[in-house]
Amino acid sequence: MTDRTTAHVIADDAEALALAAALADEFRAGASARDTERRLPRAELDRLSGAGLLAVTVPAEHGGADVSAETLAEIFRLLGSADGSLAQIPQSHFAYVNVIRRQGTPDQQKFFFAELLAGRRFGNAQSEAGTQHVQDIRTRLTLQPDGSYRLTGVKHYSTGALFADWIPVLARTEDDNLHVAYVPSDAEGVTVVDDWDGMGQRTTASGTVRLEEVAVPADRVLPHHLTFEGPQLHGAVAQLLHAAIDAGIAGGALAEAAEFVRTKSRPWFESGVETAAEDPLLIQRFGELAIQVRASEALLVQAARAVDAARADLDDDSAAEASIAVAAAKVVAAQTAVEVAGALFEVSGTRSALNSLNLHRHWRDARTHTLHDPARWKIQHIGRHVLNGTRPPRHGLL
């Protein structure tokens, strides 16, 4: 396991945001080359870990900054604006930190929060291919006579697993209840395969994890099914971070389009202006795109604040409001990311389509990331809530 015992411990929200902004600027410079060469961002992830940004949700009583959801969403938006792949890698990391906060025993919390503050990273092994649907989890935890477990299964889309110290694995016990087993990435029987072949988010290494009779001590297993038996924010926080990535990709694409038009595009001959940036039709289109980006960012902030309000006073109603607010933010951010990243070419002109410029990276990242779960179902839940007061379901994706 990687030694990161010298990781910085962030004090508060302000420091977290300042570090995230600085690192996003640093990562932006190499994002296109990493994508083109499919060069995995190990060094960049080490920078995130070393800066303490992956431990910012550790509770204060365990020595962490325990930042707000609003701050966490902004961290992801900043990273997404720089590199849509890099921002995706720690999304599951924070989701599984939340499982420990919600379901961990005092001893489990003490152990894992210390790991996080030392700079350790969580990956994920949750999705499975070829099953009936996304929640048809067939990986199994089999209880042994000594109280430990054996873990067997195959996982796909395992973003972050290749870079992780611990791989949280979604699995069912013999009673079919859902648990999370936290497994060291170098444990015997664990194989992480770098076979991700997506057109976008190319450097997330979202490949396959194979688990063959992996020995798991009882104190590394948490009862995730209990998360959904009462009001919960697990799904809202996880989806908030997805929305933040989309909003970041949209903002990054708009900024790159504006820079391209200012410095490289030629005006259309009928416009009668000297530069493309003076073309009134381009000005109009940039205004429309900027409004969409601003709307996605505003909904993201509103959703994060709803999550923070629910965390302070959690009940069925506050949890429902948080989920609905996040769903609205996710729908708009996803639509905006795909449209703005595609419009980049519309406003920039023919030269922007050159493969060597790799401006299509933004659209590929947006189109790939927004396939994570269908926005149409979020709209359904929003509509049911508005019309009939129906609370959204507790299934972790809302």
Side-chain angles (χ1 to χ4, degrees), residues 164-200:
D165 299 290
W166 292 91
I167 303 176
V169 181
L170 275 186
R172 296 191 185 276
T173 45
E174 291 177 1
D175 57 9
D176 212 37
N177 282 327
L178 192 63
H179 290 69
V180 178
Y182 289 75
V183 178
S185 57
D186 58 358
E188 186 177 352
V190 175
T191 305
V192 182
V193 184
D194 180 20
D195 57 0
W196 170 240
D197 191 32
M199 68 172 181

Side-chain angles (χ1 to χ4, degrees), residues 244-296:
I245 293 166
D246 290 338
I249 292 172
L254 183 64
E256 189 145 12
E259 177 65 16
F260 193 94
V261 169
R262 282 192 298 264
T263 61
K264 295 183 177 66
S265 295
R266 297 183 297 178
W268 183 244
F269 71 94
E270 292 178 283
S271 67
V273 296
E274 293 295 317
T275 67
E278 297 172 286
D279 184 331
L281 298 183
L282 281 182
I283 289 171
Q284 178 73 18
R285 186 63 175 131
F286 268 97
E288 293 168 349
L289 296 173
I291 289 168
Q292 289 180 262
V293 171
R294 283 175 175 263
S296 68

Side-chain angles (χ1 to χ4, degrees), residues 44-395:
E44 289 75 16
L45 283 168
D46 284 345
R47 293 277 287 139
L48 283 176
S49 298
L53 277 172
L54 300 186
V56 292
T57 58
V58 170
E61 59 267 30
H62 288 273
D66 201 7
V67 302
S68 67
E70 184 175 353
T71 291
L72 189 62
E74 178 63 5
I75 289 169
F76 272 78
R77 190 195 68 81
L78 288 165
L79 293 175
S81 73
D83 186 336
S85 280
L86 185 57
Q88 177 63 29
I89 293 169
Q91 189 273 336
S92 289
H93 168 96
F94 284 99
Y96 286 106
V97 174
N98 278 349
V99 173
I100 295 168
R101 289 185 63 140
R102 175 95 178 188
Q103 300 302 339
T105 65
D107 284 345
Q108 288 171 327
Q109 291 180 349
K110 180 180 179 181
F111 174 80
F112 279 114
F113 292 150
E115 287 285 282
L116 293 166
L117 290 171
R120 309 277 191 233
R121 292 194 289 262
F122 292 163
N124 97 81
Q126 52 189 19
S127 293
E128 300 179 12
T131 56
Q132 186 175 7
H133 51 71
V134 71
Q135 293 206 329
D136 181 13
I137 303 296
R138 300 185 184 180
T139 298
R140 283 293 183 265
L141 274 166
T142 304
L143 186 63
Q144 303 299 298
D146 65 357
S148 68
Y149 293 90
R150 292 283 173 170
L151 179 64
T152 299
V154 179
K155 298 290 189 174
H156 297 81
Y157 310 119
S158 302
T159 303
L162 195 67
F163 314 110
D165 299 290
W166 292 91
I167 303 176
V169 181
L170 275 186
R172 296 191 185 276
T173 45
E174 291 177 1
D175 57 9
D176 212 37
N177 282 327
L178 192 63
H179 290 69
V180 178
Y182 289 75
V183 178
S185 57
D186 58 358
E188 186 177 352
V190 175
T191 305
V192 182
V193 184
D194 180 20
D195 57 0
W196 170 240
D197 191 32
M199 68 172 181
Q201 295 197 304
R202 296 182 66 214
T203 61
T204 59
S206 301
T208 302
V209 173
R210 294 195 177 94
L211 307 147
E212 300 176 39
E213 293 292 318
V214 179
V216 184
D219 63 357
R220 297 293 179 261
V221 177
L222 279 72
H224 194 31
H225 61 100
L226 298 180
T227 300
F228 307 105
E229 290 188 358
Q232 53 82 38
L233 296 171
H234 181 82
V237 173
Q239 289 291 308
L240 179 71
L241 302 187
H242 283 304
I245 293 166
D246 290 338
I249 292 172
L254 183 64
E256 189 145 12
E259 177 65 16
F260 193 94
V261 169
R262 282 192 298 264
T263 61
K264 295 183 177 66
S265 295
R266 297 183 297 178
W268 183 244
F269 71 94
E270 292 178 283
S271 67
V273 296
E274 293 295 317
T275 67
E278 297 172 286
D279 184 331
L281 298 183
L282 281 182
I283 289 171
Q284 178 73 18
R285 186 63 175 131
F286 268 97
E288 293 168 349
L289 296 173
I291 289 168
Q292 289 180 262
V293 171
R294 283 175 175 263
S296 68
E297 292 172 352
L299 283 171
L300 182 69
V301 171
Q302 183 185 64
R305 290 176 178 172
V307 170
D308 283 326
R311 193 164 78 169
D313 185 18
L314 185 62
D315 59 23
D316 284 330
D317 290 331
S318 64
E321 174 53 34
S323 285
I324 293 298
V326 171
K330 179 67 167 65
V331 168
V332 172
Q335 293 171 343
T336 301
V338 172
E339 180 169 352
V340 173
L344 183 155
F345 304 99
E346 169 196 338
V347 296
S348 299
T350 305
R351 185 182 174 191
S352 65
L354 292 177
N355 198 52
S356 58
L357 295 176
N358 199 26
L359 293 177
H360 47 67
R361 167 176 64 92
H362 302 287
W363 183 87
R364 289 186 289 103
D365 284 347
R367 183 65 281 175
T368 301
H369 182 249
T370 54
L371 298 175
H372 182 273
D373 55 282
R376 57 188 176 271
W377 276 99
K378 290 177 169 50
I379 296 170
Q380 282 281 312
H381 293 307
I382 293 168
R384 290 169 184 162
H385 189 257
V386 171
L387 272 177
N388 304 314
T390 305
R391 294 190 185 107
R394 300 171 181 153
H395 56 41

